[in-house]
Amino acid sequence: MSVIAIGGDKLSRGLTLEGLSVSYFLRASKMYDTLMQMGRWFGYRPGYVDLCRLFTSSELNEWFRHITMASEDLREEFDAMWNAKATPEKYALKVRTHPGQLQITAITKMRNVDRIQVSWSGRLVETYQLPTDKGVINKNLVATQDFLSKLGIPLIKDSNNYLWLKVSPIDVLKFFSEFTVPPQLTKVDLTLISNFIRKLNQDGELGAWSVALMNKANASKHFTVSNKVSAGCFIRNTAGDTETYIIKKNHIVGKQTDEFIDLDNADLSDAWLASKQDKDWKKNYPKPKLVRELSRDVNNPLLIIYPLDPLGANPKDENSITIFQENDDVIIGFAIVFPKSNTQHTVEFAINTSLANEYYQSEIDFDDNNDNLEDNE
């Protein structure tokens, strides 16, 4: 028997239509949760999913596309919360908001929610969590070797580090597209970051990248790009997790001055003067945050690549299983230093109000304190 079902509220909410294959849908709601509940076509369609069709308006199509992305973001947040062994009470779950008319849910259900604008302008972005899957590690290693080998002959900075100037954002974006970070590392969404870079490229920013390969002196393991480029690997000890390689203190950058590798003293003068106005700043170099905001040109972001000794990813607990051996592949991590933008490009999220102030605390701590030096640096 074939049936054509026509209806309003009852048909759109709480009713399952077995075998539904074709839907004409024009009934709208401006709330994420209600709109999702109205989707009668959702669910398992074993054996005939290829026959299913949805006819709707272009506006509703855009709304459902946005809700799908927001739902995927939230699923990743749940996974990250689980891996962090946290609860919603302690974990800042966030939901992507809509730039137009859509609301996440009714206002009365969002009493403990605030909206935050996420931008990478003037930010330090670090891959402080890396994969332990050896296949993914090798893939990232090869992607990094291919990327650097095409940049030509580097400059030598600070006696042993390598630096390439005026690198095209196209090459950097290609590298990001080939590099894999753990899905738990929600702060480093390379797809969103790449979209942010493309937007700023359209406005004449982030067009000439500096790329640095950091080189640890007297290291026991090396990362080789070519006959002329070989870098010693750093030790970044794990926090103890075995599913992913979480670097202690959530920072891959060892010294804050690594951010200045492509800048001269003259470039740092404005940030240095501003840093001296802060009576609590006692270091003999300017505050990195001020360098990003005052000294780094909007067209000149910096990508810092750190080759890491895989032995650092082994848990130090005597009862833990040893994952990596000396002959295993080098683990690649990186940090991105974004200058302060003249644009207002952002991604908006809704976040638990009580945890909003904690959301960027680790980055704030690192801006104020050089807290990630390993004992053997």
Side-chain angles (χ1 to χ4, degrees):
M1 179 177 67
S2 299
V3 174
I4 297 175
I6 301 173
D9 288 340
K10 291 184 179 180
L11 185 62
S12 65
R13 297 283 291 275
L15 176 65
T16 298
L17 299 175
E18 185 177 355
L20 178 65
S21 58
V22 180
S23 298
Y24 291 85
F25 185 81
L26 295 174
R27 195 174 183 83
S29 170
K30 293 181 180 179
M31 296 182 188
Y32 289 21
D33 50 355
T34 302
L35 201 58
M36 289 287 280
Q37 292 170 20
M38 295 170 85
R40 296 296 92 216
W41 55 90
F42 292 129
Y44 295 101
R45 298 287 184 266
Y48 65 99
V49 66
D50 58 320
L51 301 178
C52 294
R53 295 292 184 271
L54 169 65
F55 298 88
T56 189
S57 68
S58 58
E59 182 180 53
L60 279 171
N61 179 52
E62 189 276 325
W63 288 5
F64 275 113
R65 286 170 62 90
H66 177 82
I67 293 172
T68 299
M69 291 189 293
S71 297
E72 289 301 311
D73 287 345
L74 187 57
R75 289 175 189 272
E76 291 179 0
E77 286 289 302
F78 283 131
D79 289 340
M81 182 179 69
W82 171 260
N83 287 312
K85 298 178 174 61
T87 65
E89 182 182 16
K90 298 294 183 182
Y91 190 88
L93 288 167
K94 60 185 185 296
V95 180
R96 186 192 298 234
T97 59
H98 188 263
Q101 304 175 57
L102 289 180
Q103 296 181 159
I104 295 171
T105 187
I107 296 296
T108 55
K109 300 176 185 176
M110 297 177 63
R111 292 187 297 273
N112 296 320
V113 169
D114 197 6
R115 285 176 170 79
I116 60 171
Q117 298 289 336
V118 178
S119 170
W120 291 275
S121 171
R123 293 279 304 282
L124 172 67
V125 179
E126 303 175 78
T127 57
Y128 58 82
Q129 191 171 6
L130 294 162
T132 54
D133 181 282
K134 294 184 179 181
V136 176
I137 290 171
N138 179 261
K139 173 179 171 290
N140 287 347
L141 180 67
V142 171
T144 307
Q145 289 172 324
D146 290 346
F147 170 58
L148 295 178
S149 65
K150 296 175 182 177
L151 300 184
I153 300 174
L155 301 173
I156 305 298
K157 293 287 290 187
D158 303 327
S159 300
N160 62 335
N161 298 313
Y162 301 97
L163 179 66
W164 293 264
L165 300 175
K166 297 182 180 179
V167 176
S168 167
I170 295 174
D171 294 328
V172 174
L173 290 169
K174 183 175 185 295
F175 171 61
F176 289 163
S177 72
E178 296 173 349
F179 196 95
T180 300
V181 298
Q184 297 93 329
L185 186 59
T186 54
K187 288 186 180 180
V188 187
D189 186 322
L190 291 177
T191 299
L192 291 179
I193 290 173
S194 295
N195 290 339
F196 175 77
I197 293 168
R198 292 187 184 96
K199 284 184 178 180
L200 267 64
N201 286 163
Q202 294 173 358
D203 289 331
E205 296 186 3
L206 309 183
W209 285 68
S210 297
V211 177
L213 173 62
M214 307 307 289
N215 179 13
K216 180 175 173 57
N218 304 316
S220 59
K221 190 174 184 66
H222 287 78
F223 165 59
T224 301
V225 178
S226 67
N227 293 334
K228 295 183 179 180
V229 179
S230 181
C233 293
F234 294 81
I235 296 290
R236 294 286 185 266
N237 288 323
T238 180
D241 188 31
T242 56
E243 293 184 5
T244 60
Y245 172 21
I246 303 177
I247 297 171
K248 278 187 176 180
K249 300 183 182 178
N250 292 353
H251 294 292
I252 194 172
V253 174
K255 295 182 290 187
Q256 290 180 310
T257 52
D258 289 355
E259 288 193 43
F260 313 157
I261 189 171
D262 60 331
L263 302 177
D264 298 325
N265 288 334
D267 297 324
L268 301 174
S269 59
D270 289 343
W272 189 222
L273 288 173
S275 298
K276 289 180 178 179
Q277 303 302 312
D278 184 350
K279 295 180 180 179
D280 295 328
W281 186 256
K282 306 297 183 183
K283 298 179 174 64
N284 61 353
Y285 53 84
K287 298 179 74 171
K289 183 174 185 291
L290 293 177
V291 172
R292 289 175 234 140
E293 294 176 353
L294 302 176
S295 299
R296 185 167 289 282
D297 189 272
V298 295
N299 203 40
N300 181 216
L302 169 66
L303 172 63
I304 314 173
I305 295 174
Y306 293 91
L308 305 180
D309 191 321
L311 295 183
N314 286 327
K316 300 301 181 280
D317 186 345
E318 293 180 358
N319 298 321
S320 297
I321 300 173
T322 298
I323 305 172
F324 296 100
Q325 307 297 330
E326 290 183 2
N327 60 347
D328 280 323
D329 283 332
V330 171
I331 299 175
I332 298 295
F334 59 80
I336 311 170
V337 183
F338 283 108
K340 185 174 177 60
S341 174
N342 293 327
T343 74
Q344 302 298 320
H345 290 307
T346 60
V347 177
E348 186 181 69
F349 288 94
I351 192 169
N352 186 313
T353 305
S354 63
L355 297 173
N357 292 333
E358 301 175 20
Y359 189 65
Y360 294 121
Q361 193 58 48
S362 62
E363 286 86 348
I364 294 171
D365 288 343
F366 190 59
D367 279 334
D368 293 339
N369 303 285
N370 188 11
D371 66 351
N372 198 41
L373 285 177
E374 299 283 354
D375 293 338
N376 59 354
E377 282 291 349

